[in-house]
Amino acid sequence: MAIYIASLGHSGSIRNLPINYNFEMAPSYFNDDNSLLNFVVKEGNGVKGMVDLGLTEVPGRYIQPPHHRINKQEVVGSHENVTIDLSELDGPNHEQVVKAIVHASETLGFFQVVNHGVPLEVLDSLKVTAHQFFGQPAEKKAVYLKEVSPSPLVKYGTSFIPENEKALEWKDFLSMIYTNEADARESWPNDCKEVVLKFIKTSSEMAQKLLQALIGDLGVKLDDSRLQELTGFNLVNLNFYPACPNPDLTVGVGSHSDAGILTVLLQDGIGGLYVKKGDQNASPGNEVWVEIPPMHGALVINVGDSLQILSNGRYKSAEHRVRTTDVESRVSVPRFIAPLPTTKIGPLPELVACDGVARYKEVIYGEYLKNYFEKSLDGKKSLDFASI
């Protein structure tokens, strides 16, 4: 019979390990699936808790098949990136700024914005808050595990859907659903809620202007109630990517597109975000990826599946992924702006009339999202749910 340690170390992150455990046995201990999933997923230690043991090699469950690994030779550099100064959106250069927003959304599906209205101190505070949250002892984070979280608005976890994934992602996360400020103040973690609420408040006007520009360029007018339906679901993640001993074998996030309308992303200075360029159906080995380089004070904007569907394919929800690094831990903070679960999404009728064809069927967003989370991330295959 094995004797187990209930808690070891001042950090509280090493729990329920055999009493004769030592750092050298980490690879073999974590190559047992049950041991790994219990420690990392069920007990809430996450990848962070595993790395804190002093791992010198990645456990087998995290090793990606070769065609899912991120090969830097496939990356064409960052010259494809567009940085847009939003301070000019309300000035004499309005048309040029809208044109740049539209072009980026039609091609790469990603762009960066500066002078966006979110104070730099809020962005810096978000990054500090993310590091502080994941730096806590495991038991303080584990109270927000899905099975025990005091609120359905808060979830702490790791990877994407561990029970469905053959190879796990090298990532821990905290998700906070925003319904209204009162609910957030009541249910979100105390050490996160103030700065995340500031992020939502200060980024909302920018997000609204971006969507107005994109919808307006389609030649369509949507009333306020329809816009509220299309943007009424908001989710903010704190993502944590611990330093990895074998970054070439792992991924922080696998290739995917986002399900919603727009994503507003804060990334730190470490880098590692890549977007697929051109042919979304290119075979492995023939893919071309563009790095979205970190830029202090900038926010990254990307188009989601729902906007691609609404625009009848004009705007592209780009496939993207995140690389791990062995240098230091990375954090990112995305805000996902999406339709309310009961909202019907389909190509806007004006565009179908103009294009002469509907490229997607009308679906209920909640059903689209359910399908999205039932499977492992796999490029843009989530869009198949709405394809005709």
Side-chain angles (χ1 to χ4, degrees):
M1 176 183 290
I3 300 174
Y4 288 86
I5 300 174
S7 179
L8 174 64
H10 70 278
S11 71
S13 62
I14 304 174
R15 301 162 60 231
N16 295 331
L17 292 174
I19 199 164
N20 61 346
Y21 185 90
N22 58 62
F23 290 166
E24 286 72 24
M25 69 181 278
S28 59
Y29 180 80
F30 286 125
N31 277 331
D32 174 77
D33 268 9
N34 287 334
S35 299
L36 183 143
L37 291 174
N38 280 333
F39 181 83
V40 175
V41 180
K42 294 181 180 178
E43 296 169 10
N45 290 284
V47 180
K48 169 81 164 53
M50 189 170 57
V51 168
D52 285 348
L53 296 175
L55 287 181
T56 57
E57 62 182 71
V58 169
R61 189 67 188 273
Y62 286 91
I63 296 176
Q64 297 287 329
H67 62 282
H68 284 172
R69 299 174 195 170
I70 299 177
N71 183 352
K72 284 189 174 181
Q73 294 178 343
E74 296 173 350
V75 179
V76 297
S78 57
H79 64 278
E80 301 281 342
N81 282 285
V82 175
T83 302
I84 299 172
D85 185 347
L86 291 185
S87 67
E88 300 189 17
L89 192 57
D90 296 324
N93 294 325
H94 173 82
E95 293 301 324
Q96 293 97 309
V97 176
V98 169
K99 185 177 179 180
I101 293 168
V102 167
H103 179 72
S105 301
E106 290 177 334
T107 52
L108 197 60
F110 264 77
F111 54 95
Q112 300 203 66
V113 294
V114 295
N115 295 320
H116 38 62
V118 183
L120 291 181
E121 57 266 27
V122 172
L123 302 183
D124 289 340
S125 183
L126 277 170
K127 290 180 277 191
V128 171
T129 297
H131 277 287
Q132 289 175 340
F133 177 83
F134 291 101
Q136 295 181 107
E139 57 265 26
K140 293 201 172 180
K141 295 176 285 189
V143 298
Y144 297 108
L145 286 168
K146 181 179 179 180
E147 296 76 13
V148 297
S149 179
S151 169
L153 302 181
V154 186
K155 176 188 173 184
Y156 163 70
T158 189
S159 196
F160 183 63
I161 310 174
E163 60 271 21
N164 292 349
E165 295 170 285
K166 292 181 179 178
L168 300 176
E169 298 175 338
W170 198 261
K171 177 190 76 170
D172 299 332
F173 67 87
L174 176 72
S175 288
M176 291 165 282
I177 296 174
Y178 178 81
T179 50
N180 56 63
E181 186 169 335
D183 287 347
R185 290 191 179 281
E186 182 179 341
S187 59
W188 290 1
N190 288 331
D191 45 1
C192 301
K193 60 188 175 188
E194 293 299 334
V195 67
V196 175
L197 281 170
K198 285 180 184 176
F199 180 47
I200 289 175
K201 286 180 181 178
T202 55
S203 62
S204 290
E205 183 180 355
M206 170 202 65
Q208 185 178 30
K209 287 182 177 180
L210 289 173
L211 189 56
Q212 287 173 341
L214 289 166
I215 296 296
D217 200 74
L218 296 173
V220 177
K221 286 191 175 182
L222 300 178
D223 60 31
D224 290 345
S225 62
R226 180 60 172 156
L227 281 172
Q228 172 59 27
E229 286 181 341
L230 294 173
T231 60
F233 182 84
N234 278 253
L235 174 80
V236 176
N237 267 19
L238 303 185
N239 294 330
F240 186 78
Y241 306 92
C244 178
N246 307 108
D248 292 337
L249 301 179
T250 59
V251 296
V253 180
S255 297
H256 71 288
S257 55
D258 293 343
I261 294 284
L262 287 176
T263 301
V264 179
L265 172 73
L266 169 66
Q267 59 172 340
D268 64 12
I270 307 299
L273 173 62
Y274 297 91
V275 182
K276 191 174 181 180
K277 178 189 175 187
D279 182 9
Q280 294 293 322
N281 297 313
S283 60
N286 294 315
E287 300 169 343
V288 177
W289 294 82
V290 176
E291 183 173 9
I292 306 296
M295 182 182 301
H296 183 66
L299 289 167
V300 180
I301 309 296
N302 69 274
V303 173
D305 291 349
S306 297
L307 187 53
Q308 178 165 331
I309 292 169
L310 285 168
S311 68
N312 206 27
R314 177 173 168 186
Y315 299 136
K316 311 298 183 187
S317 60
E319 186 177 336
H320 56 287
R321 58 188 183 177
V322 175
R323 190 178 191 275
T324 57
T325 175
D326 58 0
V327 179
E328 57 184 303
S329 297
R330 175 182 184 268
V331 295
S332 68
V333 184
R335 174 188 176 185
F336 301 101
I337 301 170
L340 293 168
T342 55
T343 301
K344 291 180 179 180
I345 56 171
L348 295 166
E350 297 90 338
L351 300 182
V352 175
C354 179
D355 297 343
V357 62
R359 296 183 174 89
Y360 304 95
K361 61 187 177 184
E362 187 176 74
V363 297
I364 296 172
Y365 182 67
E367 294 177 359
Y368 187 89
L369 205 59
K370 181 174 181 289
N371 177 75
Y372 185 93
F373 281 104
E374 280 179 346
K375 302 170 184 176
S376 300
L377 296 177
D378 190 6
K380 293 190 65 170
K381 288 189 177 179
S382 53
L383 269 171
D384 291 347
F385 185 78
S387 296
I388 293 178

